[in-house]
Amino acid sequence: MNKILYMIKLGALFASLVVLAAPARAEGSPVVVDALSGYMDFTEYGSSLIWPEQIPKEDWKKVFIVDARDAAQYAKEHIPGAVNIDWRQAVARRAELPKDRMVVMYCNSGSLSAQAVFALRLLGYENVKVLQDGIEGWKAKGGFDAHARASRPAGH
């Protein structure tokens, strides 16, 4: 019985911490709204996207590649030269990203890395891009040879 009571109290404590730690609603913050509006008022649709076939093989050496998946997925397979920064840690670890060259982030399909790139772009990192279709698309299109293998220009 004591164990059950302990678990109930622990659950209540956890629930209280979640409620207390919840962020303030961004809707009421003019600073957040202005930042989001400014970001969404972009002029170029694909400014934060890049396709594997847009990067010539020799240019990959100039790109800072970030695998935004978790450490286990990175250990199993990653794009050669990629640094592992879990997408949830991108903002906290932003100081590790160079500002003087292109940073390309990827995950499996591009959806989680897109969230990290969105946050970084809001913080002023205009050199950060999402690898469209993630590592799966990169592999399917020929990896570092995607540019040479492309039959038509990349994009929408």
Side-chain angles (χ1 to χ4, degrees), residues 67 69 73-83 106 135 138:
D67 185 320
R69 301 173 303 154
Q73 291 179 63
Y74 175 82
K76 184 178 177 185
E77 172 186 45
H78 59 271
I79 294 175
V83 173
Y106 71 90
I135 192 170
W138 179 81

Side-chain angles (χ1 to χ4, degrees), residues 28-52:
S29 172
V31 173
V32 173
V33 172
D34 286 347
L36 288 169
S37 295
Y39 177 81
M40 298 302 282
D41 190 22
F42 50 80
T43 56
E44 181 188 343
Y45 180 73
S47 64
S48 63
L49 301 174
I50 195 158
W51 282 258

Side-chain angles (χ1 to χ4, degrees), residues 5-113:
L5 185 58
Y6 173 76
M7 294 304 286
I8 291 171
K9 286 182 179 180
L10 188 61
L13 176 62
F14 178 76
S16 299
L17 289 174
V18 168
V19 169
L20 292 174
R25 292 187 56 92
E27 184 178 311
S29 172
V31 173
V32 173
V33 172
D34 286 347
L36 288 169
S37 295
Y39 177 81
M40 298 302 282
D41 190 22
F42 50 80
T43 56
E44 181 188 343
Y45 180 73
S47 64
S48 63
L49 301 174
I50 195 158
W51 282 258
E53 56 269 40
Q54 288 179 293
I55 306 173
K57 185 174 186 171
E58 60 276 4
D59 287 355
W60 278 97
K61 294 175 188 142
K62 302 173 191 170
V63 175
F64 189 84
I65 309 167
V66 177
D67 185 320
R69 301 173 303 154
D70 63 42
Q73 291 179 63
Y74 175 82
K76 184 178 177 185
E77 172 186 45
H78 59 271
I79 294 175
V83 173
N84 184 221
I85 299 176
D86 187 300
W87 69 277
R88 293 166 287 209
Q89 294 297 312
V91 170
R93 294 179 59 188
R94 68 190 180 277
E96 298 174 38
L97 304 176
K99 290 190 174 187
D100 61 344
R101 61 183 170 142
M102 186 189 319
V103 174
V104 173
M105 297 188 85
Y106 71 90
C107 57
N108 288 317
S109 65
S111 60
L112 295 177
S113 54

